[in-house]
Amino acid sequence: MPFLLAMDLPAGSQVPFQTNPQLPLDPIQLAVPLELKELEVESFDPVARAAELAESLPRQWCGTFEPFDGNPTVDVTLDITQMTAMGQMVDLRGTMTLGSVTTPVQGNVHAKSDQLDLIPLADPLIAGVEPGGVFLGLQMFSPTSWQAPRLINVADPSTGVGGRLAMTASCQEEPPVQPLW
């Protein structure tokens, strides 16, 4: 008797079961745990790294912001006053100086991926950076790009088409290295 999947079966009826000789279902083999050799398990703990980052990240960062609209490059300093580990994230609070404008900032660093979100909170900011936008970094603080709070008009550079923020943890001037020959 052919069995169709779409046909209704009366309650209490039995469906014939046919075993496949190519797939033996031995209950003894099913009960033995599977052992995998040369398999690595990820032992990274992002919560512990977030706590370590909150203690070890430098508190002062320096760099430049280069707007994409042709405005001059601006010197930037970031002073982090508070870092708090919150699960896999590190909450940042501090102040950022963009040229002559100082603004409070708030941000997050993800401990596993090193992604950074840094939000300037002041209302008057420099050209090309407007309130409500965010600096996004895929490798922590450098390089970081500016994401405007709204859609921008590339044809009109006065609307601010974004820019590149490059920061380093050392804020001391290093003497230039001159070759010997």
Side-chain angles (χ1 to χ4, degrees), residues 54-99:
E55 295 294 323
S56 67
L57 266 179
R59 304 291 182 181
Q60 188 173 30
W61 294 78
C62 297
T64 58
F65 176 71
E66 181 181 352
F68 293 145
D69 59 4
N71 284 327
T73 301
V74 177
D75 290 330
V76 177
T77 59
L78 173 65
D79 294 314
I80 300 173
T81 57
Q82 180 183 357
M83 279 195 254
T84 309
M86 297 180 174
Q88 297 182 14
M89 305 294 283
V90 178
D91 179 53
L92 307 172
R93 309 285 170 127
T95 58
M96 177 184 268
T97 303
L98 298 154

Side-chain angles (χ1 to χ4, degrees), residues 91-95 103-108 116-121 134:
D91 179 53
L92 307 172
R93 309 285 170 127
T95 58
T103 176
V105 292
Q106 178 178 343
N108 296 314
L116 167 76
D117 299 332
L118 195 62
I119 304 168
L121 301 174
V134 62

Side-chain angles (χ1 to χ4, degrees), residues 18-51:
Q18 296 176 355
T19 62
N20 186 349
Q22 296 175 349
L23 297 173
L25 296 174
D26 185 11
I28 301 296
Q29 288 180 346
L30 293 175
V32 176
L34 179 64
E35 292 183 22
L36 298 175
K37 294 180 177 138
E38 299 180 17
L39 182 70
E40 294 183 20
V41 176
E42 182 179 349
S43 61
F44 179 74
D45 184 4
V47 175
R49 182 160 188 262

Side-chain angles (χ1 to χ4, degrees), residues 100-126:
S100 61
V101 177
T102 301
T103 176
V105 292
Q106 178 178 343
N108 296 314
V109 174
H110 192 274
K112 187 170 183 177
S113 65
D114 285 343
Q115 292 182 352
L116 167 76
D117 299 332
L118 195 62
I119 304 168
L121 301 174
D123 193 7
L125 295 169
I126 63 171

